[in-house]
Amino acid sequence: MLKHWLIDLIGHVSGLSDAQLRQIEKSLPASKALIDLLNRAQPIIEQAHKLYAEAEPLIDEAMKEWQTVGPAAQILIDVIGHHVNKGSSPAEAAEAVRTALDGSIKSVAQDHWIDQRMSCVTVFGGTGFVGRRVVRYLCESGAKVRVASRHPRGGEGDDVKQIATDAHDERSVEAAAAGADGVVNAISLYVEHGSDTFHSAHVETAARIASVARRVGAKRLVHLSGIGADAASPSPYIRSRGEGEAAVQAAFPGAVIIRPAVMFASDDGFLTTILRLLRVLPAYPIFGDGRTRLQPAYADDVAAAITQVLRQSKKPYPVYELAGPRVYSYEELLRTIARTAGLRPVLMRMPFALWEALAGVAEILPHPPLTRNQVELMQIDTTASDNLPGFRMLGISPRSLEEELEAMLKQSK
């Protein structure tokens, strides 16, 4: 087939007769043999393409599996090697691992990852929604914690030191971070006020903390960002989050970026607000068409993950995306909350343009119930990427929104 096509093409271009073309063909025996070989190989090539098409999705799935299983397998190898180095036989080492696995691989992983040398950690924004949870988990792990914030609260125990810190001032940041083994930046801004802009909080301050942490010799820096952060976004809030990640990684090579999904807890401004409005409004307004996808994460699980990243002896991944066990559309989320609370709301769709106008007005209030950056985030899916590590890689089984909501409802009764 290929040979005839080639000869026909030459004939068409050159204007030579069939007899002349056959004569040329006889004078090129190697070329003729090559064309014959390609003709015979063509069905094999086509079959190979089909096989590759079938294999490609399996290759992708296998890569995902090894992203999960690979670190666990390495833990087993390291544990066995540890026992052998202590004088145990390979059989005794294997039995020790089997005994540990009889409970859960999670305990093996956590014991292996814990780094007891992380004795002092500075948490910037340690009085905030996530920051104060990180402080609690770090204290429970045995670390001494410095809570660096603009308005420090009263002491929370012998292992917690409150430090008044101006994150805009480099000397103040250095005083809070000096001598710390680990640094956490949990500073975030949801509404701009004067000089406190998204860029100043999420980019300039983040870069300042990262630079100081590197200069004072911190072993590990964890920077709290968010799923959906994008330096190319037209949204000032989302763009500043993405630019902040880049600035931190440039200032502190090896910094760990934590991107949680929208977070919920009994004292949040997300789940509790939705529940309250579902109870009082005759019709609940939905963002857009209600199809935006979310994967809410329990705030305490995020704090536990940050603590694990700080204390594991293995080199952490550069980015973790932390999301809950279930993906909802926004409408599904509302109906799930309503059903769990025994409510039957009327849902009413509202265009995003109207939401943005309402948020702009709400931001005038001291504690706005809605901000424009929240409206912007509701226009994009905020679900964890399949290609980045998350809770599972840190040995954490994330709590579901339904579990927390049921606990909240039970407590309120």
Side-chain angles (χ1 to χ4, degrees):
M1 182 189 297
L2 184 62
K3 176 181 72 174
H4 295 307
W5 176 83
L6 185 60
I7 294 299
D8 290 343
L9 178 64
I10 294 172
H12 177 74
V13 173
S14 65
L16 296 174
S17 66
D18 289 346
Q20 290 171 319
L21 289 171
R22 282 193 293 275
Q23 185 64 34
I24 291 173
E25 185 181 352
K26 290 179 181 178
S27 66
L28 300 170
S31 298
K32 180 177 181 300
L34 177 60
I35 291 171
D36 289 340
L37 181 62
L38 290 173
N39 277 329
R40 294 201 305 275
Q42 190 171 359
I44 300 172
I45 294 170
E46 290 174 354
Q47 182 64 23
H49 278 297
K50 291 178 182 177
L51 291 173
Y52 180 77
E54 292 178 20
E56 192 171 15
L58 294 175
I59 293 170
D60 292 339
E61 287 301 315
M63 290 293 289
K64 291 176 184 177
E65 289 174 354
W66 274 101
Q67 283 178 346
T68 301
V69 177
Q74 185 61 51
I75 290 168
L76 296 182
I77 292 169
D78 290 348
V79 170
I80 292 172
H82 172 72
H83 282 281
V84 171
N85 289 338
K86 288 177 67 176
S88 303
S89 69
E92 290 171 332
E95 182 59 32
V97 173
R98 274 195 296 272
T99 301
L101 288 177
D102 193 42
S104 169
I105 192 171
K106 179 180 176 181
S107 63
V108 179
Q110 287 178 337
D111 289 344
H112 182 70
W113 285 355
I114 292 300
D115 179 5
Q116 302 294 346
R117 294 171 298 171
M118 192 64 64
S119 58
C120 179
V121 179
T122 298
V123 181
F124 289 91
T127 58
F129 178 62
V130 179
R132 64 177 181 270
R133 288 174 162 82
V134 174
V135 170
R136 187 176 78 246
Y137 275 88
L138 284 169
C139 288
E140 290 174 358
S141 73
K144 292 187 181 297
V145 185
R146 299 174 186 165
V147 180
S149 63
R150 186 180 300 178
H151 305 292
R153 300 177 180 177
E156 299 181 24
D158 295 336
D159 293 331
V160 178
K161 182 179 180 181
Q162 301 281 341
I163 302 176
T165 305
D166 180 1
H168 297 293
D169 181 73
E170 189 156 335
R171 288 184 180 178
S172 182
V173 172
E174 185 167 349
D181 301 306
V183 173
V184 178
N185 177 18
I187 293 175
S188 60
L189 184 72
Y190 298 101
V191 180
E192 294 181 309
H193 291 295
S195 61
D196 286 331
T197 64
F198 295 140
H199 189 269
S200 70
H202 298 151
V203 184
E204 294 172 4
T205 295
R208 184 177 302 111
I209 291 172
S211 178
V212 168
R214 183 183 184 188
R215 187 165 66 245
V216 300
K219 297 173 186 174
R220 194 156 290 170
L221 168 69
V222 176
H223 173 77
L224 188 66
S225 181
I227 289 179
D230 181 4
S233 172
S235 159
Y237 175 83
I238 297 172
R239 183 172 63 251
S240 69
R241 282 298 202 185
E243 291 174 343
E245 291 183 359
V248 166
Q249 289 172 325
F252 191 116
V256 180
I257 306 297
I258 299 291
R259 294 177 185 159
V262 59
M263 288 177 279
F264 63 88
S266 59
D267 60 337
D268 67 10
F270 171 70
L271 180 57
T272 54
T273 300
I274 291 175
L275 184 59
R276 184 177 68 253
L277 294 178
L278 283 170
R279 283 173 169 161
V280 301
L281 294 178
Y284 190 98
I286 295 180
F287 287 101
D289 59 9
R291 295 181 183 177
T292 304
R293 298 166 71 242
L294 306 89
Q295 197 174 354
Y298 184 43
D300 282 55
D301 289 338
V302 173
I306 291 172
T307 302
Q308 279 280 61
V309 167
L310 279 167
R311 302 198 65 217
Q312 67 183 33
S313 58
K314 288 279 187 181
K315 182 179 180 182
Y317 289 88
V319 178
Y320 291 83
E321 289 199 340
L322 305 179
R326 180 180 169 186
V327 176
Y328 308 81
S329 71
Y330 184 63
E331 183 173 346
E332 286 173 341
L333 177 69
L334 293 176
R335 293 194 183 280
T336 298
I337 295 171
R339 184 173 60 253
T340 306
L343 304 172
R344 293 187 176 182
V346 175
L347 303 181
M348 177 180 63
R349 291 174 173 79
M350 285 176 55
F352 280 107
L354 180 56
W355 280 110
E356 288 171 358
L358 291 172
V361 174
E363 287 178 6
I364 299 173
L365 301 172
H367 302 288
L370 181 70
T371 65
R372 280 171 290 184
N373 71 75
Q374 289 173 324
V375 177
E376 290 164 351
L377 282 170
M378 285 305 304
Q379 296 181 60
I380 62 172
D381 292 340
T382 50
T383 58
S385 168
D386 291 335
N387 300 321
L388 290 173
F391 283 123
R392 182 184 297 180
M393 202 65 81
L394 296 168
I396 296 171
S397 179
R399 183 178 177 89
S400 71
L401 182 140
E402 290 91 334
E403 285 180 280
E404 176 63 10
L405 181 56
E406 287 171 1
M408 287 168 52
L409 294 170
K410 185 177 180 180
Q411 187 176 12
S412 66
K413 289 179 181 178

